[in-house]
Every structure is written in C-alpha cells, then in structure tokens.
Amino acid sequence: MSGIDLRSDTVTRPGPAMRKAMVAAEVGDDVYGEDPTVARLEAELAARAGMQAGLFVPSGTQSNLVALLTHCGRGDEYIVGQYAHTYKYEGGGAAVLGGVQPQPIPWDNGVLDLETVAAFIKADDPHFAKTRLLALENTAHGRVLPLDYLAAAREFVDTHGLGLHLDGARVFNAAVALGVELDAITRHFDTVSICLSKGLGAPVGSVLCGPTDFIARARRWRKVTGGGMRQAGILAAAGLYALEHQVARLADDHARAARLAEALEALPGFRVIPERTRTNMVYLDLPAERAAALAEHLAGRGITAGAGSPMRLVTHLDLDDAAIDAVIAACRDFAEAAA
Ligand SMILES: *Cc1c(COP(=O)(O)O)cnc(C)c1O
C-alpha cells in the first residue's frame, strides 16, 4: 500500500474483487458491436439515467467531446461556464476538431445564471455562430446543483430551442448526496456523460447516455476520434462492478470530506472555502506560497496533495478513516509549526 493521495478521486486502484470481475468478463469485438459486457454496461447506465442508449468511451474528455461533436456542427456554438471542464480542461477539443465555438460565461460555482445564458444566445445572423447547446456540470467542483435549478434549465432550453448536455463525471456523487436515484438528476438533460474512473473507482472509462439516434451518431464520432475499442469488456466489467458495489459508498467519501473540512477549519491559519466544500472535495484558501509549503510538508509524511491555490483535497475509495486522521494530524503539525 503506497501513501495517501488527496489529489483526485482518479487515483484509486481496482481491488481484488473488481480485478476478478475483469478477468472473468465475457468479451468480443466492440467495434463490431459484439462485446456483451460492454453492451451490458451501456444498457445498465442508460437505464439508471432514464435514457435510451449508452456508449462506452475511454475517458470523460472523449465522452464530452463526442457529445459536443454530435450536438453541434461546424460553425455552431455551445454555452458553458468559464471554469467548466468541457470548456477549460479538455484542450478546446470541440473547437480543435469540430469547428465548434464555445461561449463561456460566468460560472458561479456551476450555476449559470439563465438570464445571462439568454443574453448570450445569438440571433440568426451570418455574423454569429449558431447557438445550439447549453452544457452544465454536476457535481461542479464538488458542488451539487439544486434540482429546481436543473428543472429551470430544462424549461429554459425548451423555450429557446437548445439542447442540454450534462458533464456528469461525478453525477453519482450528486445523486448520493441528495439521496435520490440518478434519473432524478439526468431526466432534465438530453445527454449525460458519466465517469466510471472517478469516485466509482473503475480504472478506465466513461459512458455517454442519450437518445438512441443521438448515440448512433455519437458512435461514429467515437470511432473518428479513435475511441473504438475491441475486447473492451474487460474494462466494462470493472464499470459494472463499480455500479453494483461502489455507488452507495460514495456517502463515506462525503462524510470523510466533511470531517476533514471541519478539522482543518479549526486549525490556526487554515481557511476552508465553505461554498466549495461539498461531496468529496475540500478547498483550502491558502496563499500560493503556503499551499506549496503545506504540500511539501505533507509529502514528507507520505501524503500527496496538489499545491494549487486554492488547494483541493479529494476523498475517495482508497482513503479510509485512518488516512483522514493522518492528514488531519499532519496539517495540525504544519499549523502549529507556523504559529
Ligand atoms: C475528470 C473529469 C472529466 C474528464 O474525465 P477524464 O476521464 O479525465 O478525461 C470531465 N469532466 C469533469 C467534471 C471531470 O472531473
């Protein structure tokens, strides 16, 4: 067992039972549509999301990319928060590969003000790109978007004739935090991208869910972007295992993050950003220099943390209560040494 890693919930490693499921997976060539385990995973997630079809892809980035390329054509645009993953952290893929223009707008912790969105919808005029889509993210940097906001966003896009995509990399965290089934969230959207490799703890993969005809077109884009995989059932089996055994336990990650936040907030010189501490993430408001010093101090204790400012600490499957205690103790030493 290596040390404690707080950088992201992507660092989890598959445990023995998940590996056993992977080894036992029935497989076929999924580009020919012949992998039964991939088909099962796609159907299972689509059903949970209340959607007609699913598409297994290697990463969340590719899932969002394929969604954007399917919703929007060359010269179209999507409206998106300026700190959203689909805008800021995916290399501008839809613009690079699809001639799709993003229209970033203020983010407000993931809630895009709908009047502002309306103001950015372009008129039908050859000067402008054609506005096609609104893209939201949930959880958004750990924040759960309110269900009534999602309902309002649905009504809004219907009024304005736009599509609505959810980057739901961590949408299961949102569902568990709210105590609702997945489809209570996803029913408001046309399409949703869900990561298996974050809090759910699978090694690889995401699933894009949506209407049958949309997913058929998305399947083309998956192939074009190099995401057609062959005996991918080995990976899908990990996803199925995660869906069966590792969804409800996200509540443990949330409880540990809350406990961590509370303990750190009490330390001299530490400030937890309250509006950014939700689900499995804790954000520390430390000046860049102190964040770097803290990361170095933690590294000396076998604890890996990003040195960003704000500093993000993420709980996950590979962190138990003892790990959280060790992090709190290490931070206390740091705070006392500085005091
Ligand atoms: C991680 C993440 C993605 C992309 O997933 P990858 O599998 O890392 O490409 C997309 N959106 C959000 C919100 C994420 O956190």
Side-chain angles (χ1 to χ4, degrees):
M1 179 73 197
S2 54
I4 294 166
D5 195 335
L6 296 160
R7 286 171 300 170
S8 176
D9 46 11
T10 55
V11 301
T12 59
R13 285 143 303 183
M18 180 180 278
R19 287 174 192 247
K20 202 169 152 214
M22 296 172 76
V23 168
E26 210 187 319
V27 297
D29 188 327
D30 185 53
V31 174
Y32 292 140
E34 292 171 4
D35 190 301
T37 310
V38 170
R40 258 202 313 132
L41 173 66
E42 291 173 345
E44 171 69 22
L45 253 184
R48 290 201 195 196
M51 299 206 177
Q52 290 173 343
L55 183 69
F56 185 47
V57 287
S59 71
T61 298
Q62 189 170 58
S63 186
N64 284 323
L65 172 63
V66 160
L68 292 171
L69 294 176
T70 308
H71 277 289
C72 304
R74 190 174 168 82
D76 291 345
E77 76 169 9
Y78 65 107
I79 297 178
V80 62
Q82 63 182 340
Y83 298 112
H85 206 282
T86 44
Y87 171 61
K88 194 177 172 192
Y89 299 96
E90 296 180 5
V96 172
L97 301 168
V100 179
Q101 163 175 289
Q103 170 62 68
I105 68 167
W107 162 256
D108 192 18
N109 292 302
V111 171
L112 311 188
D113 174 62
L114 296 174
E115 277 181 33
T116 308
V117 176
F120 278 95
I121 296 174
K122 315 282 184 289
D124 184 3
D125 177 313
H127 289 88
F128 304 136
K130 281 187 197 142
T131 312
R132 294 283 189 201
L133 180 73
L134 174 61
L136 300 178
E137 185 172 316
N138 193 17
T139 61
H141 300 179
R143 179 190 186 177
V144 179
L145 301 192
L147 289 176
D148 59 357
Y149 173 71
L150 302 184
R154 177 75 251 169
E155 209 181 300
F156 176 88
V157 295
D158 286 344
T159 304
H160 291 87
L162 304 181
L164 186 60
H165 173 67
L166 178 64
D167 177 356
R170 297 187 178 87
V171 69
F172 274 107
N173 292 84
V176 167
L178 291 172
V180 300
E181 295 297 326
L182 186 68
D183 67 352
I185 295 170
T186 52
R187 59 191 282 263
H188 299 294
F189 294 85
D190 297 300
T191 54
V192 56
S193 168
I194 301 171
C195 282
L196 300 162
S197 57
K198 302 268 166 95
L200 295 183
V204 175
S206 285
V207 176
L208 176 64
C209 297
T212 305
D213 61 330
F214 183 97
I215 294 299
R217 288 186 290 128
R219 194 173 293 278
R220 275 190 79 80
W221 280 120
R222 183 185 68 171
K223 190 76 182 91
V224 170
T225 54
M229 298 184 286
R230 303 296 178 172
Q231 286 72 39
I234 290 185
L235 301 173
L240 281 165
Y241 181 89
L243 288 178
E244 197 170 331
H245 300 284
Q246 296 180 171
V247 173
R249 64 150 307 285
L250 292 171
D252 301 343
D253 297 344
H254 301 169
R256 289 187 181 115
R259 183 162 75 85
L260 180 63
E262 199 179 328
L264 297 188
E265 177 68 27
L267 298 178
F270 275 66
R271 198 182 88 81
V272 169
I273 306 178
E275 63 277 17
R276 293 186 68 176
T277 294
R278 292 179 180 91
T279 61
N280 68 332
M281 297 185 186
V282 177
Y283 284 87
L284 291 180
D285 182 17
L286 293 176
E289 242 171 65
R290 258 181 78 71
L294 175 58
E296 199 182 314
H297 170 85
L298 293 174
R301 309 283 188 98
I303 298 167
T304 309
S309 180
M311 180 187 265
R312 185 183 79 160
L313 307 175
V314 185
T315 58
H316 52 72
L317 184 61
D318 287 359
L319 297 181
D320 57 11
D321 286 326
I324 300 302
D325 290 339
V327 174
I328 293 168
C331 288
R332 184 177 300 124
D333 289 348
F334 179 80
E336 282 169 4

